[in-house]
Amino acid sequence: MNKTKAERDLAFIKQVMEDSKKLLLENGLPYVIFGALSIVCTALTYGAIFLQFYASIIWIWVAFLLMGTSLIFFILRKYKREMMGTFASEIYGYVWMGMTVFIVINGACLFFSGKFDLGPFLAFVAGVLGAAYFISSTITRKSWMFALSFVWWAGAFVMVSIDSFYAPLVLACFVLVCELIPGVILHLKWIKSHRPSGKGEEAVPQVDE
Amino acid sequence: MSVENYHTLDEVLHSRIRLAIVSILVTVEEIEFTLLRDRVGATDGNMNTHLKKLEEHGYVSVKKEFVKRKPLTTYRLTVKGKENFKKYVEILERFIKRQGK
């Protein structure tokens, strides 16, 4: 063995590891789905307020949760083969699942006890999302996610301090910035790294044996 | 690298395909056979031969199960595999460093 061969071997290892790490990229679709759906639901909520169908608001958000979770379930099933299961990704999934259940239970308790107030509740949702982003950033080591957790927390303060009527609108803006746009970026990156003709799919450079 | 040092290189890992397999496995928790084969770009037979050797030497562990009546074989790197891969990379790095002086 000479120096060139050793360098080639090391470069080979690095490239293979780098390429396989691309498989661990998030495809971003859960962010896109929840982001887009929540913006649509916010618009529907204002529509219901405008038409004075106040009772339908809760059902709009129940439908949002059902549609969002079912869509994500089917999409993740479709991509399961390309998304390798790691212990970190498993924890990541459970963090989001746990946070969603936490929000739903709190919302249901407040609603059925007659203490539901939209503004403070959405501020609470933003606070929980901030916590979810904060924990997820530690698992995924994504600095942008870490930064967005503080944006969510700032959003919680904004929502609790304004009139409840504007809270869904503010939430929709935060969803756009913190969820939909990053989701689209993640998905585009994911498509690029999984494109068959792209470099990402070539994976192992010249396995000559 | 001297002849003596050359022999310190792990014989199991000193093969392009096995090195590729272990390099992929070190970045993931576990991976199914077909996906691993596609990433390495080798044939089924070739993959089986190399995976068997890695398994015999205790570098990888295999899990065979049925998911929706279809066989699913997944591989993961063992602690021994991880340690020996680390040593292999360290030897290469040390050698390059020494040659560079």
Side-chain angles (χ1 to χ4, degrees):
Chain A
M1 175 182 264
N2 54 33
K3 194 190 168 197
T4 321
K5 169 88 170 74
E7 278 173 342
R8 259 206 331 256
D9 278 356
L10 206 58
F12 173 79
I13 292 167
K14 279 181 186 164
Q15 193 174 338
V16 173
M17 286 174 74
E18 203 53 49
D19 285 339
S20 70
K21 272 181 190 165
K22 285 177 185 167
L23 279 173
L24 299 173
L25 269 178
E26 261 187 284
N27 75 9
L29 279 176
Y31 295 95
V32 177
I33 290 166
F34 263 119
L37 274 179
S38 61
I39 289 171
V40 170
C41 286
T42 305
L44 288 174
T45 303
Y46 280 109
I49 293 170
F50 181 71
L51 297 169
Q52 297 185 333
F53 289 146
Y54 299 113
S56 63
I57 294 175
I58 186 77
W59 298 113
I60 291 172
W61 291 96
V62 169
F64 156 76
L65 273 172
L66 290 175
M67 272 177 71
T69 39
S70 342
L71 270 171
I72 286 168
F73 176 75
F74 285 114
I75 284 168
L76 293 187
R77 258 183 63 163
K78 189 187 161 198
Y79 289 112
K80 203 181 173 191
R81 191 175 169 268
E82 288 140 64
M83 293 158 67
M84 274 180 281
T86 65
F87 184 57
S89 65
E90 214 171 293
I91 297 171
Y92 182 68
Y94 281 118
V95 165
W96 280 98
M97 211 189 293
M99 294 295 181
T100 311
V101 171
F102 184 53
I103 291 171
V104 171
I105 289 174
N106 271 278
C109 288
L110 290 168
F111 181 75
F112 291 113
S113 64
K115 289 172 184 164
F116 189 85
D117 189 350
L118 195 60
F121 177 70
L122 292 184
F124 162 77
V125 170
V128 174
L129 287 174
Y133 271 60
F134 190 79
I135 300 168
S136 303
S137 72
T138 317
I139 300 166
T140 59
R141 291 175 190 168
K142 284 186 179 121
S143 51
W144 62 266
M145 208 168 211
F146 179 76
L148 286 180
S149 63
F150 289 92
V151 177
W152 273 120
W153 287 328
F157 278 110
V158 174
M159 276 174 255
V160 84
S161 55
I162 58 166
D163 192 301
S164 283
F165 179 79
Y166 300 106
L169 191 65
V170 174
L171 183 78
C173 295
F174 276 90
V175 164
L176 182 73
V177 174
C178 302
E179 212 156 335
L180 194 57
I181 295 172
V184 170
I185 295 168
L186 276 176
H187 193 61
L188 291 175
K189 273 187 186 174
W190 193 83
I191 290 171
K192 203 176 158 193
S193 73
H194 286 75
R195 200 173 288 152
S197 55
K199 204 182 163 212
E201 196 59 27
E202 283 167 13
V204 177
Q206 305 287 315
V207 178
D208 46 1
E209 192 177 31
Chain B
M1 187 173 275
S2 67
V3 174
E4 193 187 334
N5 282 339
Y6 173 80
H7 287 297
T8 61
L9 269 178
D10 194 324
E11 187 209 320
V12 181
L13 293 175
H14 203 56
S15 133
R16 269 279 157 121
I17 291 186
R18 288 195 292 273
L19 192 57
I21 292 169
V22 174
S23 302
I24 291 169
L25 284 171
V26 86
T27 58
V28 298
E29 194 74 16
E30 60 177 26
I31 186 167
E32 70 169 275
F33 176 80
T34 49
L35 186 54
L36 184 62
R37 179 202 59 200
D38 294 347
R39 301 305 296 177
V40 174
T43 61
D44 280 7
N46 216 350
M47 283 295 286
N48 277 324
T49 311
H50 289 287
L51 281 164
K52 201 167 184 184
K53 183 149 189 177
L54 286 169
E55 201 189 333
E56 279 168 2
H57 285 82
Y59 283 44
V60 298
S61 63
V62 59
K63 186 172 79 183
K64 290 181 182 189
E65 58 189 333
F66 279 90
V67 176
K68 288 182 186 168
R69 293 180 192 172
K70 284 178 189 166
L72 184 79
T73 310
T74 47
Y75 290 89
R76 63 165 63 210
L77 206 59
T78 60
V79 177
K80 184 186 173 186
K82 265 180 209 165
E83 279 170 2
N84 285 6
F85 176 75
K86 206 177 148 199
K87 271 185 214 159
Y88 186 86
V89 173
E90 278 169 3
I91 290 171
L92 285 180
E93 280 173 340
R94 268 206 306 273
F95 173 69
I96 293 166
K97 220 178 207 176
R98 221 181 298 146
Q99 293 290 308
K101 280 179 187 172

